């Protein structure tokens, strides 16, 4: 596989298109999210197999509370179900789970499930799997700044970076968005400053291992300059791809 030698260290994904996948089949939207969990399971496995070290997905945004109540409760139930069903297997596969987002408005049951999943998998090192749930990039920047202010610390790029919810992993190398829309939608606003973006028309439930490989092959052909010139990079000053 051509992409194999330049596998990104950290892939982030906006898993869009579950609703359309379901609606096209005359199914309720929640059926699309269920299928989305299947696609996510396969994605985690594939990323682990090909040597990706960090996978971060957008599972529920701060704005998703505005969806119909039935869909919101369906997503909460799905999360609770996925936790009890998937965590033991993910643990066996060496996956460390980390939830990123504002937990204060989640139910006690869901919060307990998140903490359990993190605790059980805390010692795993094969793949760090960050699930952004009730997350927003602006929320993250604001909570980081508020934390620094409350502790009387200076607000600098470095201190904010350390206070951000994803401070346990390096910034993403590749951000994939499925479902045909070309925007970031409040995902990883701080961390995606130099991330390569890849947009796919495929709906998330259809985004399989071959589609991940195609995104990685595209990424492998990019020149990451981090603000430098192309000539600087070819003169041996090239910043190593984080693979
Ligand atoms: C966007 O599709 C997707 C979501 C808002 C939810 C993503 C969740 C999953 C893939 C399942 C994993 C979730 C848990 C709880 C572990 P959309 O509904 O906006 O699709 P549309 O644009 O076609 O309407």
């Amino acid at each position: 596989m051509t992409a194999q030698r330049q596998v990104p260290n950290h892939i982030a994904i906006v898993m869009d298109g579950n609703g359309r996948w379901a609606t096209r089949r005359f199914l309720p939207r929640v059926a699309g999210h269920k299928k989305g969990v299947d696609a996510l399971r396969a994605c985690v496995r594939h990323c682990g197999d090909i040597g990706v070290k960090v996978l971060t997905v957008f599972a529920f945004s701060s704005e998703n509370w505005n969806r119909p109540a039935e869909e919101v409760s369906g997503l909460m139930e799905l999360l609770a179900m996925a936790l009890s069903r998937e965590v033991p297997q993910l643990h066996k596969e060496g996956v460390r789970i980390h939830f990123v987002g504002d937990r204060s408005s989640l139910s006690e049951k869901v919060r307990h499930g998140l903490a359990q999943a993190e605790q059980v998998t805390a010692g795993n090192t094969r793949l760090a799997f960050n699930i952004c749930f009730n997350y927003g990039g602006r929320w993250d920047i604001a909570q980081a700044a508020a934390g620094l202010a409350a502790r009387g610390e200076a607000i600098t790029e470095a201190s904010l970076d350390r206070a951000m919810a994803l401070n346990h992993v390096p910034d993403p190398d590749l951000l994939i968005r499925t479902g045909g829309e070309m925007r970031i939608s409040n995902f990883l606003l701080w961390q995606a400053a130099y991330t390569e973006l890849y947009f796919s028309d495929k709906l998330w439930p259809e985004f399989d291992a071959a589609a991940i490989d195609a995104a990685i092959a595209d990424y492998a052909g990019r020149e990451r300059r981090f603000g430098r010139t192309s000539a600087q990079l070819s003169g041996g000053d090239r910043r190593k791809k984080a693979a």
Side-chain angles (χ1 to χ4, degrees), residues 94-107:
V95 176
R96 179 175 186 173
I97 301 173
H98 200 101
F99 286 93
V100 179
D102 181 4
R103 301 182 192 201
S104 62
S105 40
L106 303 177
S107 72

Side-chain angles (χ1 to χ4, degrees), residues 15 18 21 27 30-47 55 57 75 78-79 81-82 85-86 90 93 129 203-209 212:
M15 308 177 289
N18 294 341
W21 183 91
L27 295 168
V30 172
H33 296 313
K34 281 193 185 143
K35 202 74 186 165
V37 172
D38 295 342
L40 184 53
R41 185 188 308 112
C43 174
V44 173
R45 187 157 298 156
H46 188 60
C47 284
L55 175 67
V57 299
L75 277 164
L78 203 57
L79 175 66
M81 216 164 62
R85 271 204 208 149
E86 313 286 343
L90 292 172
E93 292 171 17
F129 179 32
L203 304 177
W204 174 248
E206 298 161 344
F207 203 76
D208 56 11
I212 295 169

Side-chain angles (χ1 to χ4, degrees), residues 133-188:
F133 200 90
N134 198 19
Y135 169 89
R138 289 179 175 177
W139 164 82
D140 194 9
I141 295 168
Q143 70 77 26
L148 292 173
R151 294 190 294 276
E153 290 175 43
I155 294 184
T156 65
E157 276 195 33
S159 67
L160 268 173
D161 204 47
R162 279 194 299 274
M164 222 53 83
L166 271 174
N167 62 4
H168 60 292
V169 291
D171 288 345
D173 301 291
L174 172 64
L175 190 155
I176 298 170
R177 181 177 183 140
T178 63
E181 309 285 355
M182 289 198 244
R183 54 177 173 262
I184 292 191
S185 297
N186 202 16
F187 189 42
L188 305 180

